[in-house]
Amino acid sequence: MKYDFKNIEAKWQKKWEEDGVFHAKDDSDKKKFYALVEFPYPSGAGMHVGHIKAYSGLEVISRKRRMEGYNVLFPLGFDAFGLPTENYAIKTGIHPRKVTDTNIAKFTSQMKRVGFSFDWTRTVDTTNEDYYKWTQWIFIKMFEKGLVFRDKTLVNYCPSCKVVLSNEDSQGGKCDICHSDIVQRSKDVWYLRITEYADKLLEGLNEVDYPANVKAQQINWIGKSRGAFVDFTLSGTDEKLTVYTTRPDTLFGVTFMVMAPEHPLLDKYRDQISNFSEIENYRDICSKKTEFERTQLVKDKTGARVDGLSAVNPVSGKEIPIYISDYVMMGYGTGAIMAVPAHDERDYDFAKKFGIDIVEVIKGGNIDEAAYAGDGEMINSDFLNGYTNKKESIDRMIDNLVEKGIGRAGVQYKMKDWAFNRQRYWGEPIPIVHCPHCGMTPIPYEDLPLRLPDMENFEPGEGGESPLAKVESFVNCICPKCGAPAKRETDTMPQWAGSSWYFLRYIDPHNAERFADSDKLKYWMPVDWYNGGMEHVTRHLIYSRFWYKFLYDIGEVPVSEPYAKRTAQGLILGPDGEKMSKSKGNVVDPNDVVDTYGADVLRMYILFMGDYGAAAPWSENGVKGCKRFIERFAGLMDMIGQGAVTEVIDSDLHKTVKKVSSDIEEMKFNTAIAAMMSLVNKIYDAGSITKNELAVLVRLICPFAPHIAEEMWEKLGFSGYASLAEWPKFDENKVVDSMAEIAVQICGKVRGTITVPVDAPASEVIAAAKANEKIAAILDGKTIIKEICVPGRIVNIVAK
RNA sequence: GCGGGUGUGGCGGAAUUGGCAGACGCGCAAGAUUUAGGAUCUUGUGUUAAUUCGUGCAGGUUCGACCCCUGUCACCCGCACCA
C-alpha cells in the first residue's frame, strides 16, 4: 500500500469533523472519561512541538477509552488574556481582540492538522465575554464570602511594563515578561485569601492520585509549619515583641533578636532609640533592594543595632540586644525573630559579624566553628536539660510558655495571599465599584459581564495606572447600591484567573444561565486525568484547586477535588540538547514536520523519543525511523494471506495487545511503540498475516497513528471508524508460554541457559541446570555450597 | 541553603521493580538492488586476547544490585535568609 499521507490525513480529518466522531455526549449511559490538558496561550508564534507532546499523552489515552466504550470528554480551549497580546497591540496598534482571534484561528487549524481527537464544539476562550462573565461571577462570590480584600503594601513593580507583579511573577528580581529590574513600590493590591484554604489544599492531597514529587512540591509551596508564638518584653516598657519560631526548645540559646527594618515598633519607640538616624539610613538602603535581593543567601549579613531598646529573654530573664536586618521580613511570621546563633546558620553569621554571644543548647557540634543544626542532647536549658527528642522538648517548652502566659502554640504558612490585580487592559475587569458612601460594591450578577470597553491606546496610564482609567465612560458610573455617582475599579485580573476554572466550562460551554449545569457537572466531574507541565504544579494547580474548593464550599460543584489524577510530560529539547528557544535557533516547528513526514509520523515520534515524563532532545533521524515504521506497517496490507500464520506470531500478537494496553495506561508510550515495532519485524520475518490479525494491529496502532489506521481499516473492508472500533482483547492463555528459558548462574555470574517447563518445581530446574554441559564442566571438581532457584527466573549455584 | 529529580553503548532510551544489562529506534559497517544519488532489503554492531570488563565515583547489604543502604561528584527543575 502506498503511503500517501497528505491525502490520507486530509481525508480522515475531514470525515471525523463531518461526522462529529469525537464529540462528547451529555446524555449518555456510557461510563464517562474526562481527559484534560493545559490549554495553550495562543501566541503569535503558533504551535510548538512542546504543545504536541503535552497533548499527545492524553490523546492516546482518550482514543483508547473511546474504543473501550467510554463517553470521552477531551476538549481544548485558549487561555488568551495576557501581556504578550497586549504588548503586541501597543506595538502594532492592532486591537488585542483581533490579535487573539487571529492567533486562535491559527492554533486551531494547526492542531486539527495533527489529527487530535479534541471535541472542537466545546472550545473555550477566556477572553470571550460569555466566558469571563463567569470568571467575574466567581470573583464576586469570593468577595461576598470575604475572600477578597484590599491592602496597601510594598509590591514588586515593573517600571517598564508598568504593572505590579506577584512574587511568583517576579523571580530573580526581574520582570517575568520584560526582564527589566523590579523596584519596590507602595500600591493598592487586591488579594485573594488563598491562605484560608491552606489546610484544605493540604488535606485534599490525600484524596488525589498525583505523582509523589508533585504532592511534595505543593506541600512545600504551602509550607505549613508548627511552632510557637513567644512574647518578649521590651525592657523598660510593657510592650510585647512577639516572634514566631519552629524551635521554641532553643529559647535558652537566644542571645539577640532581629526585627525587620520596617517593623512599626521601631517608629513607636523612636524617642528611646539613640541611633534612629542610623536605622533610617539602613531602611533607605533596604528599600532600594528587591525582595529577591534581600532574600539571597549571602554570608555577609548586614544590619544595625537598635541602641536604647533591648528585650528580655522570657525563660532565662536575661536582657538581650535587638538588631534590625533585611534578612528578616515583615511579610513572614511577625516581622521579628529570636536569634539562636549556636544552631542557625544565618543567626550564627550575624552573631559572628556583630560580636554577639553564642550559647550552645544542643550538644553535638562545635559552635566555635559553625552553627550546629542537628539533633542532640539539650544543655544549658534548665528544665529541658537532658532531652534528646526534638518533639518532646518542643512540646515541653510550649507547655511552659503557656503556663507562664508568654507564648502559645501556633501554625504558620509559607504561602502568601494571592495578589490579584494588574494595571492592564487585556484582562478581566474587576467587577467592583468604589462608592463614596457604600465603599467597595460588587456589580449585581444580572449586570455581568462587565465588558472591557473598546479603546485604541493600550499604554498603561501615568504611574502605572490601568489603561482603563483613561476611559471616562467606563470609570464613571452609578453605585448599584445607593445610586450615587461612583467610580469603577480600573485594574484587571491576572492571567491565572481564567485558567482557574476553565475545566468546568468545557462541561457546558454555551450555558447562558450558569457557568455549567449542575447535572452535567455531576456527570462529568471530577476530571479523571489531568496532564500538563511540571512548571504549573505549584501556581496554576494550587490556584485552580483553591477556586474549585471554594465553589465546592458554596455548593456549586459536586466533588471536593477537581483533578482525580495528574501527570506531567517532559520537555522536548532542541537537537543540540538545549532548551528550545528562538535566540538559540534550535526550535523545531511541528508544521514543517507535518508537511514533510505527516501527522502520524510526528505523533509517533514524539511518543517514541523517550520516557514521556522526561526531557529528550529532538532528532530528525529519529523522525525518519518512525516514518520507516509507519511505511512498513502500511506494507502489511500486501502480506495478507501469503501463507499459514505460525503459532509464534499468534502468541506474539496477544502479548503485544497486552503490553500495548498496559503501557498506554502507564504512559509508557515509547515501549508500547517498541512492542509494535518488534511484532511488525516478526511478521515481516514470517512473511504473512491474516486479515483478522491485521485488524487487531490496526486498532492497536490507531490511538498513535489514527489516519493510517482509518485508511487500512477501510481498505480491509470494515465499516465505521477504526477510531470507534472495539479495543482489541487478548487471550490470557496465549500470553503464557509453556516453556521458559532461564539463566543459570554460578556464584552470581551467568554461565549458561536452560529451557524448562514454566511450572517445573525447583528441584527439577536445578537438576536440569546441573545436567547442562557447560554448567557441569564448570562445576566439575567443585563443592556446591548453596543452590538458589527462583522458578521461572533464575538458578544460582554457589560452589567452591 | 532547602525540597524534588536525573546520571546506562557513538546517540535517544529498555530492563517483568532484587534475578540473563543494552529491548526498540537512530547512527555506523559490510553486502544486495540501482546508471548514480536517494530509498529499500539482508547481516553485523557495549567492550576485551579472554570464561575479561562493564549502568557517574567509593564503599556496604545480598546467593545475586542499574534497582536497596552510606558517603561522594556532576547536571537539571522548583522554592529560597521562611525563623
Side-chain angles (χ1 to χ4, degrees), chain A residues 637-649:
Chain A
M637 289 297 288
D638 303 327
M639 300 174 91
I640 295 173
Q642 292 300 303
V645 169
T646 66
E647 267 180 41
V648 180
I649 297 287

Side-chain angles (χ1 to χ4, degrees), chain A residues 428-498:
Chain A
E428 301 89 345
I430 292 177
I432 299 287
V433 168
H434 299 277
C435 169
H437 312 293
C438 312
M440 297 187 291
T441 307
I443 287 168
Y445 292 114
E446 57 271 22
D447 290 350
L448 294 178
L450 171 61
R451 290 187 182 84
L452 266 175
D454 226 351
M455 54 188 297
E456 309 249 305
N457 178 7
F458 310 103
E459 296 271 4
E462 273 318 299
E465 256 192 343
S466 167
L468 293 179
K470 293 183 284 190
V471 185
E472 282 182 25
S473 59
F474 177 82
V475 176
N476 297 317
C477 62
I478 290 167
C479 172
K481 220 190 256 172
C482 70
K487 302 260 186 214
R488 265 188 223 289
E489 172 62 50
T490 56
D491 283 0
T492 54
M493 300 185 197
Q495 206 186 348
W496 309 103

